[in-house]
Amino acid sequence: MSASPAVEAIVESEYEHGFITEIESDTFLPGLDEGVVRAISARKGEPEFLLEYRLKAFRHWQTLATPRWAHVHYPEIDYQAISYFSAPKSKDGPKSLDEIDPALRETYNKLGIPIEEQMALSGIAVDAVFDSVSVATTFRTKLAEAGVIFCAISEAVHDYPDLIKQHLGSVVPHTDNFYAALNAAVFSDGTFVYVPKGVRCPMELSTYFRINARNTGQFERTLIVAEAGSHVSYLEGCTAPMRDENQLHAAVVELIAMDDAEIKYSTVQNWYPGDAQGRGGIYNFVTKRGDCRGARSKISWTQVETGSAITWKYPSCLLRGDDSVGEFYSVAVTKGRQQADTGTKMIHLGRNTRSTIVSKGISAGEGQQTYRGLVRIAAKAQGARNHTQCDSLLIGDRCGAHTFPYIEVKNPSAQMEHEATTSKISDDQLFYCRSRGLTTEDSVSMIVNGFCKQVFNQLPMEFAVEAQKLLSISLEGAVG
Amino acid sequence: MLSVKGLKANVGDKEILKGLDLEIGRGEVHAIMGPNGSGKSTLAHVLSGREGYTVTGGSVTFEGQDLLDLEPEARAHLGLFLAFQYPVELPGVNNTYFLKAALNAIRKARGEPELDAVSFLRLMKEKLKVLHLDDSLLKRPVNFGFSGGEKKRNEIFQMAILEPKLAILDETDSGLDIDALRIVADGVNALRSPERSVILVTHYQRLLDYIQPDYVHVLAKGQIIRSGGKELALELEDKGYGWLGAEEAA
Ligand SMILES: Nc1ncnc2c1ncn2[C@@H]1O[C@H](COP(=O)(O)OP(=O)(O)O)[C@@H](O)[C@H]1O
Ligand SMILES: [Mg+2]
């Protein structure tokens, strides 16, 4: 099944998940200063070290200017017009699904994510992030038996302060970039995963994000630590309700893999891209980085990006451990007025480190897409290898694809391969499919899914099906 | 079944079909022969609804329906099938998946129930056997990386699965060795029934040794200039097209 695109019945091309759940929120007034940072920390009852961390980040952020190098265009963001905290009202976390706000569960149902069914059928533990505070955590017991910690990062701060203190900011320091600094100062909530030595996580871990409260920037923080010889696969999927104002999303994701550990991080991103004129879409400025700290460790990023008005995202791997492996498999779609500047960085520091980059960009309408990839082989990285494949598919003639590969090789033993192609869906291909009885839309969807197959093959099966559906839906009306 | 009357069609402002008449009855096999550039593929494309051709005159009806108004997929739903002279590659699109989607699209359009994975697989195995094809074909992307002969055989395989009412084979025989030619012929012969009709566009008489046509037509300069029985093909082989005054200037 996973190899076959599930071409669904053609539905409205308008954003399918664009509805707003009515739920009472406890939201800060817009604006950002030290007082707000302190208030966030106080509201969450955080330990002193975390408040200090936030304040340090905030002070650093104030010295920074918005980065301008990306190939994207948008009006200046007024950071004082954003509210930095929003929590659903029910104060105490629920103990079971029955305790979950019915409106919230209705939202999940609309999204086609019935939690109960997922629990029963697929054995996936779901840590649902609704706005800024986690409200549903399932299968915790089963994970606990295996010794795996999977919880909201705000809880982890209380329950496992030493782990947080040790690892938070160790991969993406608060000084890393403008958005990472902002996130470190005001991060709302997110997910913490800890897999102890030698443990293979018994199930795929999955978090569904959903931006919901009006005008509230989202600053998730994710931290995954895989101790020596452990293995974990994490799925992240996002949808958002339709709205007018642009919404800033600046998440930080940090992955740490020790000796022989493996982390697989998969994302299907479907945030509101804005209306036909590009109004109201999500700004997605994300810093994702994995640290292959141990020898023979492996970190694999797979992403399918169809949403957001603007995407600025470069999931990266620091290949520190000898023989460590970094992978990046990406499908990004831009249509309408969407803009994406995305890619990866593979930093080879250890000996015999290997990296693979497969980037598939699809542009339709007036979509603009940039692939920006850095492969750096440090002087000490004897025997490093990289393979990069970067393919663009254009649908129509008003869209654009741009490729900026940066390659820095300081060790002569490095083996580098780079392939890049740009193609169009040809009239021949469309006619061929249609002459076999398929509609234009099904034909496009089939050709596009074929183009993306290498990446979809990397996704866990349920996710691959969802990704293919998403792609089909998002490309409706793209041709003809 | 198919009735083409006075069909005129342009590519750009160049007239390619210049008043073409053709009547195909149910269950009949017609061979259309003619020199290169005479408009054989153009006819096949116009019949199956390819964009880029402007019909400037005449009519085409298929089972009583005006074909020229229909989208290519609607023509497929009615039971028209074109085996391409140059089959198109679809990288990454699994052959099995493609065919199942196509068959079910057609069945759905006809109000028939879609085939589930198991029944479809059974159907595929059965057709592979009839055509003596290897099942490695099923796992590969549609025509991608196929040899010329494999592409042609894949067209015949698709035809066998989709079971069209009218199949147009555009030079499916060219470039094939004898074994491959037999497979193509077997495919067509297996499909032959009182319900189904075939148009064999071919350059050579060779194919007609394996598939007995009911009628042979010569297409030249955008018109059918001669029609006859099987003996016409043999005559053509002997004398070439020149004796009909059909040699293209181009
Ligand atoms: N897309 C096209 N653009 C311009 N001329 C074309 C095109 N397709 C076909 N032709 C011309 O139309 C004529 C008939 O071509 P075609 O139908 O392919 O012939 P046949 O299949 O009999 O060899 C030829 O002169 C060819 O050059
Ligand atoms: Mg031809």
Side-chain angles (χ1 to χ4, degrees), chain B residues 20-248:
Chain B
L20 188 142
D21 297 299
L22 187 65
E23 293 290 330
I24 312 266
R26 199 175 291 274
E28 295 171 357
V29 174
H30 291 239
I32 295 183
M33 306 183 70
N36 268 332
S38 58
K40 301 184 297 296
S41 291
T42 302
L43 174 63
H45 287 151
V46 170
L47 291 180
S48 47
R50 192 188 172 114
E51 279 171 34
Y53 299 89
T54 323
V55 174
T56 56
S59 69
V60 179
T61 57
F62 180 64
E63 304 229 278
Q65 286 210 48
D66 180 356
L67 205 58
L68 297 177
D69 272 352
L70 299 176
E71 299 291 329
E73 58 269 34
R75 301 183 195 203
H77 300 162
L78 282 182
L80 201 69
F81 178 88
L82 170 63
F84 283 54
Q85 183 173 4
Y86 305 107
V88 181
E89 300 190 355
L90 303 176
V93 179
N94 175 273
N95 219 0
T96 304
Y97 176 70
F98 175 73
L99 261 180
K100 180 160 175 268
L103 179 62
N104 279 335
I106 290 172
R107 291 179 68 100
K108 207 166 147 191
R110 293 179 184 162
E112 296 166 10
E114 297 184 24
L115 280 194
D116 60 32
V118 178
S119 329
F120 183 71
L121 206 66
R122 199 179 299 135
L123 177 68
M124 298 238 289
K125 297 271 177 206
E126 180 195 312
K127 299 294 182 186
L128 282 174
K129 215 159 140 191
V130 173
L131 297 176
H132 308 286
L133 292 173
D134 195 78
D135 64 1
S136 65
L137 191 76
L138 306 181
K139 299 185 192 93
R140 296 165 65 182
V142 181
N143 297 326
F144 186 69
F146 283 30
S147 69
E150 283 176 325
K151 284 182 183 171
K152 297 296 180 81
R153 273 175 282 172
N154 196 30
E155 294 291 285
I156 295 303
F157 179 58
Q158 292 184 18
M159 178 184 78
I161 295 282
L162 299 179
E163 300 191 318
K165 291 186 189 143
L166 172 63
I168 305 169
L169 276 62
D170 191 359
E171 294 205 29
T172 305
D173 54 331
S174 36
L176 294 187
D177 60 29
I178 281 294
D179 289 342
L181 194 67
R182 269 212 189 94
I183 287 174
V184 168
D186 286 351
V188 174
N189 289 327
L191 194 76
R192 245 176 137 152
S193 90
E195 297 304 310
R196 298 212 175 83
S197 314
V198 180
I199 298 176
L200 292 175
V201 173
T202 180
H203 208 64
Y204 312 101
Q205 125 81 21
R206 193 175 63 149
L207 179 66
L208 307 181
D209 290 339
Y210 299 92
I211 307 170
Q212 299 284 323
D214 299 303
Y215 299 92
V216 175
H217 309 276
V218 178
L219 173 56
K221 296 176 184 160
Q223 288 182 317
I224 302 288
I225 55 162
R226 186 79 161 241
S227 297
K230 192 183 166 340
E231 67 291 344
L232 179 57
L234 296 169
E235 218 173 327
L236 281 171
E237 174 138 276
D238 256 15
K239 306 187 188 165
Y241 293 108
W243 65 285
L244 289 170
E247 212 64 81
E248 283 291 277

Side-chain angles (χ1 to χ4, degrees), chain A residues 113 170 172 238 246 260 347 365 394 450:
Chain A
I113 314 162
S170 75
V172 179
C238 316
N246 286 306
D260 300 293
I347 312 295
L394 304 178

Side-chain angles (χ1 to χ4, degrees), chain A residues 194-200 225-231 256-262 293-297:
Chain A
Y194 180 82
V195 191
K197 213 167 165 174
V199 171
R200 175 168 268 269
V225 181
E227 292 288 7
S230 70
H231 179 284
I256 299 164
M258 306 308 288
D259 286 354
D260 300 293
E262 182 175 343
R293 212 169 273 181
R296 297 167 305 278
S297 58

Side-chain angles (χ1 to χ4, degrees), chain A residues 226-246:
Chain A
E227 292 288 7
S230 70
H231 179 284
V232 63
S233 169
Y234 183 85
L235 319 180
E236 169 197 47
C238 316
T239 57
M242 188 181 287
R243 47 181 49 258
D244 292 321
E245 289 108 300
N246 286 306

Side-chain angles (χ1 to χ4, degrees), chain A residues 3-7 9 426-440 442 446-451 453, chain B residues 48-51 71-73 76-77 81-82 84 88-93 97-98 101-102 105-106 142-143 155 158 162:
Chain A
S4 320
V7 179
S426 70
D427 292 344
D428 283 345
Q429 288 175 322
L430 274 184
F431 175 62
Y432 190 73
C433 294
R434 294 179 72 194
S435 78
R436 299 302 183 247
L438 300 166
T439 63
T440 303
D442 286 354
M446 197 171 281
I447 294 165
V448 169
N449 275 306
F451 174 76
K453 190 164 188 181
Chain B
S48 47
R50 192 188 172 114
E51 279 171 34
E71 299 291 329
E73 58 269 34
H77 300 162
F81 178 88
L82 170 63
F84 283 54
V88 181
E89 300 190 355
L90 303 176
V93 179
Y97 176 70
F98 175 73
I106 290 172
V142 181
N143 297 326
E155 294 291 285
Q158 292 184 18
L162 299 179

